[in-house]
Amino acid sequence: MPATSRTARACALALAGLGLTASTLTTSPAAASDGGAGTADRTTQQTATTATRTAQRSPAARVAGRVLAARNTALRQRGNPYAYGAAGPDRFDCSGLVYYSFRRAGFPVPRTSSAQAGFTRRVAKKDMRAGDLMFFTGSGGVYHAAIFLRWTRGHALMVHSPGSGQRVRVAVPWTSQWFGGTLRR
């Protein structure tokens, strides 16, 4: 392998490590005429550029992407039946749906709705974003969990596993006695 190719590769990797783009690297005319060394340099540049873009995503953006992945996983479970104490992959109770979806997205969420409520950071209803969690409360504390989708006509829209004899579905809350929680920090 020519010295120019090794130098270009070393520079691209060094730039990627610093969070800079390697797209400004070019192959010298001598290396380009070296029968394919220029191709290796372009491949190295593309790899370094891709690595740089990934490194440039902020931690908050990475978490937000994982939250949306959890929401999408929950939406794919629509139609699956409710089963008390079930956490998937084909039957769910309310907290089991949250547990299954967020675990698949890489979040270490607890299993029960009350523990999940304690695990999240509270967020005002008006500040809820897709993938945040909804916790329903009564005299006995938190009794139901759902995944927030969006606001529609002044009502929250959620995906949840409602109860015995029902299936995972998208619905609006039946009560205003709920609070929001988020895994975004």
Side-chain angles (χ1 to χ4, degrees), residues 150-157 172:
R150 68 180 177 274
W151 289 102
T152 180
R153 298 187 193 126
H155 297 284
L157 197 60
V172 295

Side-chain angles (χ1 to χ4, degrees), residues 60-87:
R62 287 191 298 270
V63 169
R66 289 174 41 217
V67 166
L68 292 179
R71 177 209 55 191
N72 293 340
T73 297
L75 285 169
R76 284 192 298 275
Q77 308 317 308
R78 285 181 291 184
N80 285 342
Y82 176 92
Y84 181 79

Side-chain angles (χ1 to χ4, degrees), residues 12-176:
L13 292 173
L15 287 170
L18 293 171
L20 302 173
T21 181
S23 62
T24 58
L25 289 179
T26 58
T27 305
S28 67
S33 66
D34 195 17
T39 302
D41 287 342
R42 281 190 298 278
T43 302
T44 301
Q45 290 170 9
Q46 291 168 350
T47 302
T49 301
T50 301
T52 301
R53 285 187 190 128
T54 301
Q56 288 174 343
R57 269 183 84 188
S58 71
R62 287 191 298 270
V63 169
R66 289 174 41 217
V67 166
L68 292 179
R71 177 209 55 191
N72 293 340
T73 297
L75 285 169
R76 284 192 298 275
Q77 308 317 308
R78 285 181 291 184
N80 285 342
Y82 176 92
Y84 181 79
D90 57 354
R91 295 182 182 282
F92 300 93
D93 66 7
C94 65
S95 59
L97 179 64
V98 170
Y99 178 82
Y100 177 80
S101 301
F102 280 86
R103 285 283 175 139
R104 292 199 41 135
F107 291 98
V109 297
R111 174 60 185 86
T112 65
S113 56
S114 60
Q116 290 167 353
F119 184 74
T120 62
R121 179 178 58 87
R122 283 232 181 160
V123 62
K125 288 181 181 181
K126 66 179 179 59
D127 296 330
M128 300 271 299
R129 294 188 287 174
D132 286 342
L133 300 175
M134 300 169 65
F135 298 103
F136 293 78
T137 60
S139 60
V142 173
Y143 66 89
H144 188 71
I147 300 171
F148 178 80
L149 299 175
R150 68 180 177 274
W151 289 102
T152 180
R153 298 187 193 126
H155 297 284
L157 197 60
M158 63 186 180
V159 60
H160 71 135
S161 187
S164 186
Q166 299 181 51
R167 297 181 176 274
V168 174
R169 67 178 181 219
V170 172
V172 295
W174 59 92
T175 179
S176 61

